[in-house]
């Protein structure tokens, strides 16, 4: 799984931890939940995403 995530990181210019979460969503066939708009755009066409709004970070 980490090899696939690393490949995803390189192909989509993602940070490795973002790629790991994206790859987990792909592997499990579930949407990637995130508050990161840039990540949603970066993985478009690879995995379904759900942008969480109004969620405080930190």
């Amino acid at each position: 799984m980490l090899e696939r995530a690393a490949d995803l990181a390189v192909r989509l210019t993602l940070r490795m931890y973002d790629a790991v979460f994206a790859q987990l969503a792909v592997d499990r066939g579930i949407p990637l939940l995130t508050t990161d708009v840039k990540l949603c755009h970066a993985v478009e066409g690879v995995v379904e995403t759900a942008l969480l709004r109004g969620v405080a970070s930190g």
Side-chain angles (χ1 to χ4, degrees), residues 25-56:
V26 169
D27 289 351
R28 285 166 175 70
I30 59 175
L32 174 64
L33 305 177
T34 183
T35 58
D36 188 337
V37 174
K38 290 181 183 179
L39 179 57
C40 280
H41 291 295
V43 297
E44 198 171 296
V46 174
V47 63
E48 180 185 350
T49 60
L51 183 61
L52 302 174
R53 298 182 188 273
V55 177

Side-chain angles (χ1 to χ4, degrees), residues 9 11 15 17-18 20 22-24 39-40 43-45 49-50 55:
R11 284 188 298 122
R15 291 178 225 134
Y17 58 85
D18 285 337
V20 167
Q23 188 62 53
L24 284 170
L39 179 57
C40 280
V43 297
E44 198 171 296
T49 60
V55 177

Side-chain angles (χ1 to χ4, degrees), residues 6-19:
D7 178 62
L8 195 62
V10 170
R11 284 188 298 122
L12 302 178
T13 316
L14 298 175
R15 291 178 225 134
M16 188 61 188
Y17 58 85
D18 285 337

